[in-house]
């Protein structure tokens, strides 16, 4: 498992009304407007039986709700103001504040001398994203094709769209769709760009990583646990709600929520295998 990969997390736009994707064009390289594909449900039904559509490109990263300011500390001084729907990474919330980071495009000259001045307008993947609110020196990076600087700070919980938080999105998805097979969960796996882990045979995990803000070698954030072609549970490091079923604490701060009706011996077998596996990971 490559633990230094960037967090993959994000919005299943076709399903979550809270995301408010109407009239949001494909302005980022990993985003498109699929709101028009949303299926209506009857007033007497609690879950749609229509299989949701895969988006052509996953949407990665939590999103700003309306407009927001990133501060150097909770209640502290402003670093940058961001526009609506700008993507960023969020660590676990702490007392209604999210530790966050956002990458913005820079020039070759700025890469060589990464001192940025108050009032500089920033772009994310070429899209207008906000304005710096103070003079600041920032860490920079490149992948050989583009260069960026990273602002790290804090923003209030209300400034993040709830539907772009994978735990909230999965909870809503499972309430709206009754199917639990791999095929049923495929749109969610695709739209959140979850990676596949087959080390724990006969179990298959589809997962993303933590943000990396607090830890440069992040572990899992959330994983769908399958046995055969059926979902048996959800592994998570952050709070997650799943109606019914049972919960078990695992090593290194993880919890698994098993679906209702899963055999006790299967639950025990997965827990033993996962604990052994996660303790062997650096």
């Amino acid at each position: 498992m490559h633990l230094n990969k960037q967090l993959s997390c994000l919005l299943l736009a076709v399903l979550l009304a809270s995301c408010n994707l109407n009239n949001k064009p494909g302005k980022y390289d990993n985003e498109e407007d699929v709101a028009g594909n949303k299926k209506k449900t009857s007033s007497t039904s609690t879950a749609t039986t229509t299989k949701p559509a895969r988006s052509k490109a996953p949407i990665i990263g939590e999103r700003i709700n309306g407009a927001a300011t990133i501060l150097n500390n909770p209640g502290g001084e402003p670093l940058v103001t961001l526009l609506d729907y700008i993507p960023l990474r969020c660590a676990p919330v702490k007392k209604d504040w999210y530790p966050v980071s956002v990458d913005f495009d820079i020039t070759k000259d700025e890469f060589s001398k990464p001192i940025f001045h108050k009032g500089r307008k920033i772009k994310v993947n070429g899209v207008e994203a906000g304005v710096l609110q103070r003079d600041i020196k920032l860490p920079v990076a490149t992948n050989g094709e583009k260069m960026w600087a990273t602002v790290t700070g804090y923003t209030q919980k209300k400034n993040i769209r709830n539907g772009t938080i994978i735990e909230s999105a999965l909870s809503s998805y499972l309430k709206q769709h009754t199917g639990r097979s791999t095929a049923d969960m495929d749109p969610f796996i695709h739209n959140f760009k979850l990676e596949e882990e087959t080390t724990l045979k006969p179990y298959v995990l589809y997962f993303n990583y933590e943000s990396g803000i607090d830890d440069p070698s992040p572990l899992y954030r959330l994983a769908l646990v399958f046995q055969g072609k059926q979902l048996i549970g959800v592994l998570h490091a952050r709070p997650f709600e799943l109606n019914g079923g049972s919960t078990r604490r695992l090593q290194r701060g993880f919890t698994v929520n098993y679906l209702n009706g899963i055999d006790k011996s299967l639950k025990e077998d997965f827990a033993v295998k996962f604990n052994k596996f996660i303790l062997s990971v650096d």
Side-chain angles (χ1 to χ4, degrees):
M1 181 175 68
H2 302 293
L3 297 179
N4 58 353
K5 291 183 179 179
Q6 184 178 0
L7 164 71
S8 301
C9 74
L10 301 355
L11 171 65
L12 185 57
V14 65
L15 299 172
L16 304 178
S18 60
C19 299
N20 190 24
L21 292 183
N22 291 315
N23 301 319
K24 291 291 182 182
K27 59 184 180 180
Y28 300 103
D29 59 6
N30 57 4
E31 174 194 345
E32 66 170 86
D33 178 12
V34 294
N37 292 331
K38 185 176 179 180
K39 303 296 183 181
K40 295 182 179 179
T41 60
S42 68
S43 59
T44 59
S45 175
T46 58
T48 178
T49 57
T50 304
K51 183 177 178 180
R54 271 169 147 244
S55 65
K56 293 180 181 178
I59 300 172
I60 301 173
E62 284 96 347
R63 302 286 171 140
I64 290 294
N65 181 28
T69 301
I70 307 304
L71 310 178
N72 62 345
N73 287 294
E77 298 297 321
L79 299 175
V80 59
T81 52
L82 297 177
L83 302 177
D84 182 35
Y85 216 68
I86 297 302
L88 73 172
R89 294 176 293 276
C90 296
V93 66
K94 300 176 182 178
K95 296 182 179 180
D96 291 330
W97 288 85
Y98 275 109
V100 299
S101 66
V102 59
D103 301 332
F104 65 88
D105 308 339
I106 61 173
T107 66
K108 291 182 179 179
D109 288 341
E110 289 173 328
F111 184 82
S112 300
K113 186 179 294 186
I115 298 176
F116 305 88
H117 298 287
K118 180 178 179 179
R120 184 198 188 280
K121 295 182 179 180
I122 66 171
K123 293 184 177 182
V124 174
N125 294 335
V127 176
E128 296 290 343
V131 180
L132 292 179
Q133 296 299 313
R134 65 187 297 179
D135 295 343
I136 190 171
K137 184 175 182 179
L138 296 171
V140 295
T142 181
N143 60 8
E145 297 180 358
K146 60 178 293 186
M147 294 166 286
W148 63 89
T150 301
V151 178
T152 300
Y154 295 82
T155 197
Q156 290 180 290
K157 181 180 179 179
K158 66 181 182 179
N159 292 332
I160 302 299
R161 289 176 179 265
N162 189 56
T164 69
I165 300 167
I166 192 170
E167 292 82 7
S168 298
L170 179 58
S171 180
S172 294
Y173 187 95
L174 294 175
K175 289 176 182 177
Q176 294 180 35
H177 301 277
T178 58
R180 297 293 183 262
S181 70
T182 305
D184 293 322
M185 298 304 298
D186 174 71
F188 188 91
I189 293 167
H190 170 80
N191 291 352
F192 281 80
K193 202 175 181 180
L194 301 184
E195 301 181 50
E196 182 179 9
E197 174 63 74
T198 59
T199 302
L200 301 177
K201 294 180 179 179
Y203 309 102
V204 176
L205 274 59
Y206 291 92
F207 69 93
N208 64 3
Y209 288 108
E210 262 297 353
S211 65
I213 295 174
D214 297 327
D215 186 347
S217 297
L219 295 172
Y220 296 140
R221 173 173 172 175
L222 182 144
L224 304 177
V225 182
F226 288 86
Q227 193 272 329
K229 297 293 184 180
Q230 291 295 315
L231 182 71
I232 67 168
V234 178
L235 178 79
H236 52 99
R238 302 191 191 188
F240 171 73
E241 295 183 5
L242 178 64
N243 292 334
S246 61
T247 300
R248 174 161 176 171
R249 297 284 295 177
L250 301 174
Q251 294 289 336
R252 301 188 73 170
F254 288 99
T255 300
V256 59
N257 286 40
Y258 293 111
L259 273 62
N260 189 32
I262 302 302
D263 185 78
K264 182 178 180 181
S265 62
L266 193 66
K267 297 178 186 178
E268 182 65 21
D269 184 63
F270 173 76
V272 170
K273 283 184 169 65
F274 179 80
N275 281 338
K276 182 178 179 181
F277 167 71
I278 204 66
L279 289 174
S280 69
V281 174
D282 294 331

